[in-house]
């Protein structure tokens, strides 16, 4: 049995994993899909003080409170930053890092360095009434949809879980200065469906930080593959749990 901890991306909540969790559990695994501070059941905690470091603390607190070990830590999108910093602090509890169509940072980087269009979002928030709230990206014409989701029913469901993101999530730096974190195996899962203009993805080096060959898998899906291709995503994750 493996322990999967699924961390949602910006503006989403833990509910976005609703179609994946039962598939992993039915295979005998333990699965957690929490909402980070400011989202889902913690939406009332959203405020300008919430940032990347808040979300890293959320993940670490859950792992320690549940006394989880050998965790397969999955980060979607923005949460690539979250899982990186969390693993840096508690590498002994992490068995595998999975970057699911995610930002993949180096030590000291913010979202701005990893995904340059983040600066545009920060600028939009600065010119808004609040100065700190970044609204979810708008729905685009097909084939882009809403975070890569194009089915009208799925879009309506996705909208029920979206919230604004505080700018500090994109401004605070990742910490990857613990050499032990480099020993943790990594897998990258790329969603290779239609990608909106301005969204970039860093090439994955051929060698992982631990010295082994990089593992990169692809799904023919838009960004939110946990909604559009939950069975296929689950199959890939189960490969890591075997």
């Amino acid at each position: 049995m493996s322990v999967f901890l699924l961390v949602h991306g910006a503006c989403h909540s833990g509910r976005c994993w609703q179609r994946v969790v039962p598939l992993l559990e039915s295979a005998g695994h333990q699965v957690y899909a929490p909402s980070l501070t400011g989202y889902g059941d913690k939406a009332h905690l959203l405020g300008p003080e919430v940032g990347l470091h808040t979300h890293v603390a959320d993940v670490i607190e859950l792992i320690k409170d549940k006394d989880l070990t050998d965790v397969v830590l999955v980060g979607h999108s923005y949460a690539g930053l979250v899982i990186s910093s969390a693993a840096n602090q508690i590498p002994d509890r992490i068995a595998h890092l999975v970057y699911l169509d995610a930002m993949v940072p180096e030590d000291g980087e913010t979202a701005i360095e990893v995904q340059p269009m983040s600066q545009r979002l920060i600028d939009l928030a600065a010119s808004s009434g609040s100065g700190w709230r970044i609204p979810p990206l708008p729905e685009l014409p097909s084939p882009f949809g809403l975070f890569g989701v194009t089915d009208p029913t799925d879009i309506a469901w996705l909208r029920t879980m979206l919230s604004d993101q505080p700018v500090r999530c994109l401004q605070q730096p990742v910490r990857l200065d613990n050499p032990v974190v480099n020993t943790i195996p990594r897998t990258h899962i790329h969603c290779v469906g239609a990608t909106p203009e301005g969204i970039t993805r860093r090439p994955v080096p051929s060698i992982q930080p631990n010295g082994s060959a990089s593992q990169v898998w692809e799904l023919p899906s838009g960004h939110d593959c946990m909604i559009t291709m939950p069975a296929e995503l689950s199959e890939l994750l189960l490969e890591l749990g075997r």
Side-chain angles (χ1 to χ4, degrees):
M1 181 186 74
S2 294
V3 178
F4 287 93
L5 176 48
L6 313 176
V7 186
H8 65 81
C11 301
H12 289 54
S13 77
R15 287 175 56 218
C16 71
W17 303 102
Q18 187 171 304
R19 297 173 180 175
V20 172
V21 171
L23 298 176
L24 299 179
E25 289 179 334
S26 65
H29 301 293
Q30 192 174 358
V31 186
Y32 296 88
S35 289
L36 300 173
T37 296
Y39 306 105
D41 59 344
K42 300 175 184 174
H44 62 287
L45 300 175
L46 186 71
E49 72 285 351
V50 173
L52 171 63
H53 299 166
T54 311
H55 295 155
V56 172
D58 289 340
V59 171
I60 293 173
E61 182 179 10
L62 186 151
I63 290 173
K64 288 185 174 180
D65 284 353
K66 301 292 184 181
D67 195 22
L68 304 179
T69 57
D70 295 323
V71 176
V72 178
L73 187 56
V74 182
H76 178 242
S77 194
Y78 152 77
L81 309 181
V82 179
I83 66 170
S84 297
S85 275
N88 188 67
Q89 295 190 44
I90 51 170
D92 55 309
R93 292 177 179 264
I94 310 303
H96 207 108
L97 290 170
V98 181
Y99 292 89
L100 177 59
D101 218 35
M103 298 186 189
V104 185
E106 300 290 340
D107 180 42
E109 288 188 325
T110 69
I112 300 167
E113 284 80 44
V114 184
Q115 183 61 259
M117 66 91 65
S118 300
Q119 184 61 58
R120 189 170 66 196
L121 300 178
I122 293 171
D123 294 342
L124 286 173
S127 63
S128 70
S130 71
W132 60 269
R133 299 178 75 115
I134 300 173
L137 294 175
E139 181 181 350
L140 298 174
S142 183
F144 305 110
L146 182 63
F147 292 98
V149 178
T150 56
D151 178 81
T153 302
D154 287 345
I155 288 175
W157 179 59
L158 175 57
R159 288 190 187 282
T160 67
M161 67 184 80
L162 297 180
S163 305
D164 292 350
Q165 183 182 38
V167 295
R168 291 188 70 176
C169 297
L170 305 182
Q171 294 171 323
Q172 291 182 328
V174 169
R175 288 290 167 242
L176 276 171
D177 54 1
N178 184 346
V180 181
V181 77
N182 290 329
T183 66
I184 302 172
R186 298 182 175 193
T187 293
H188 302 262
I189 302 177
H190 293 164
C191 298
V192 295
T195 301
E197 183 179 355
I199 304 295
T200 59
R201 177 186 293 124
R202 283 181 168 174
V204 177
S206 59
I207 302 298
Q208 296 187 45
N210 67 0
S212 61
S214 291
Q215 182 162 259
V216 182
W217 295 334
E218 294 182 347
L219 284 172
S221 166
H223 188 52
D224 278 4
C225 60
M226 73 289 290
I227 293 175
T228 60
M229 300 188 74
E232 294 84 351
L233 172 59
S234 298
E235 278 301 313
L236 294 181
L237 295 178
L238 288 172
E239 286 293 319
L240 303 176
R242 293 190 175 113

